[in-house]
């Protein structure tokens, strides 16, 4: 693109390719980043192209719209338009299908990226095997122990516990009744009495009667 051309050939080719109306601002925004055209240069080039009849110009209020000279394009009949519409529909459906496939592949890729690598899996399997070996050895040790408690011994322990718990409750109730009887004629508080008598309660020792 020569300095004298000032982007006119580029703009002409762009308008002919897109074949749709644009303002000078639109063309500047679309071509500036890639081709480095200045806005003033774009405006002048488009005005010159319109003056030379290479593009068409329409004024709407204060804004000018430019578009390709339609005379250079061959006429399109209704059949051709319908064919193009059909092709557009097919291509749109294909694009939609491809987009769906891309989304599915993106999801699969994301899942794969979040999964363990082969090396990480091998390492984890090795650790799990080591852990299983440790558990297996512990289980064998437990099975081979000779000091297992028999069901009869366990029942005996439970029965003794029930007996002792019942006796505990009985004695605690008797002691409580005796203390309450004494406190009826005792001038001081229950706490002071217990302190003077040297009585320690379950609460003082922070113990609770087990449930049976």
């Amino acid at each position: 693109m020569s300095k004298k051309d000032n982007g006119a050939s580029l703009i002409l080719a762009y308008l002919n390719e897109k074949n749709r109306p644009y303002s000078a601002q639109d063309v500047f925004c679309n071509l500036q980043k890639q081709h480095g055209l200045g806005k003033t240069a774009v405006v002048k080039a488009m005005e010159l192209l319109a003056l030379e009849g290479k593009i068409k110009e329409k004024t709407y209020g204060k804004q000018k719209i430019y578009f390709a000279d339609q005379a250079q394009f061959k006429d399109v009949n209704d059949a051709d338009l319908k064919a193009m519409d059909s092709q557009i529909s097919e291509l749109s459906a294909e694009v939609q299908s491809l987009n769906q496939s891309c989304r599915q592949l993106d999801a699969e890729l994301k899942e794969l990226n979040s999964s363990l690598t082969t090396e990480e899996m091998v390492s984890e399997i090795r650790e799990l095997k080591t852990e299983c070996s440790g558990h297996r050895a512990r289980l064998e040790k437990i099975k081979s122990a000779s000091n297992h408690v028999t069901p009869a011994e366990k029942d005996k322990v439970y029965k003794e516990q029930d007996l002792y718990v019942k006796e505990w409750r009985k004695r605690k109730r008797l002691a409580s009744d005796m203390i309450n009887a004494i406190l009826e004629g005792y001038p001081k508080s229950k706490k002071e009495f217990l302190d003077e008598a040297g009585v320690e309660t379950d609460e003082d020792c922070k113990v609770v009667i087990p449930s049976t």
Side-chain angles (χ1 to χ4, degrees):
M1 185 175 64
S2 66
K3 292 183 179 179
K4 186 176 180 181
D5 180 81
N6 206 20
S9 59
L10 176 64
I11 293 171
L12 177 61
Y14 178 77
L15 291 177
N16 287 335
E17 177 189 359
K18 300 300 181 183
N19 194 19
R20 55 173 295 180
Y22 286 110
S23 67
Q25 178 67 29
D26 294 332
V27 174
F28 165 70
C29 292
N30 295 340
L31 299 180
Q32 186 271 336
K33 185 175 181 180
Q34 182 177 1
H35 300 283
L37 296 177
K39 185 175 181 180
T40 301
V42 170
V43 172
K44 288 183 178 180
M46 295 182 76
E47 289 177 348
L48 178 61
L49 288 171
L51 185 63
E52 293 175 347
K54 294 180 179 179
I55 62 175
K56 297 299 180 180
E57 175 187 289
K58 291 286 185 181
T59 302
Y60 297 94
K62 296 182 179 181
Q63 187 177 32
K64 291 182 178 181
I65 299 298
Y66 300 89
F67 53 91
D69 183 5
Q70 299 302 301
Q72 64 181 310
F73 303 114
K74 66 178 182 179
D75 292 336
V76 181
N77 55 38
D78 291 341
D80 291 335
L81 289 174
K82 289 181 180 179
M84 285 188 284
D85 288 338
S86 177
Q87 185 179 12
I88 289 173
S89 298
E90 292 177 0
L91 291 174
S92 298
E94 184 179 356
V95 168
Q96 186 175 1
S97 177
L98 290 173
N99 284 334
Q100 185 175 356
S101 299
C102 286
R103 285 193 294 269
Q104 183 177 353
L105 291 174
D106 286 338
E108 292 178 1
L109 179 60
K110 185 177 181 181
E111 184 178 354
L112 288 173
N113 288 334
S114 61
S115 302
L116 296 175
T117 63
T118 303
E119 292 76 10
E120 290 172 337
M121 287 183 179
V122 171
S123 177
E124 185 168 350
I125 290 173
R126 189 184 302 114
E127 292 177 2
L128 289 174
K129 285 184 176 179
T130 302
E131 186 177 350
C132 286
S133 298
H135 290 317
R136 194 177 294 109
R138 182 168 176 266
L139 181 61
E140 292 299 327
K141 184 177 180 181
I142 293 173
K143 287 182 178 180
S144 62
S146 59
N147 58 345
H148 291 301
V149 178
T150 64
E153 292 173 330
K154 184 171 70 174
D155 290 341
K156 180 181 178 182
V157 171
Y158 283 141
K159 288 180 180 178
E160 289 179 352
Q161 181 190 23
D162 291 341
L163 177 64
Y164 295 145
V165 169
K166 289 178 181 178
E167 187 66 22
W168 185 350
R169 287 199 175 96
K170 177 181 177 183
R171 295 191 180 192
K172 183 171 183 175
R173 185 169 59 252
L174 290 173
S176 179
D177 292 343
M178 291 174 57
I179 291 172
N180 289 333
I182 294 173
L183 289 175
E184 290 180 359
Y186 188 73
K188 300 180 182 179
S189 66
K190 180 179 180 179
K191 184 177 184 307
E192 290 175 317
F193 169 72
L194 294 177
D195 289 340
E196 290 181 1
V199 177
E200 291 184 346
T201 64
D202 292 342
E203 291 73 21
D204 293 333
C205 297
K206 297 181 180 180
V207 294
V208 179
I209 297 177
S211 59
T212 56

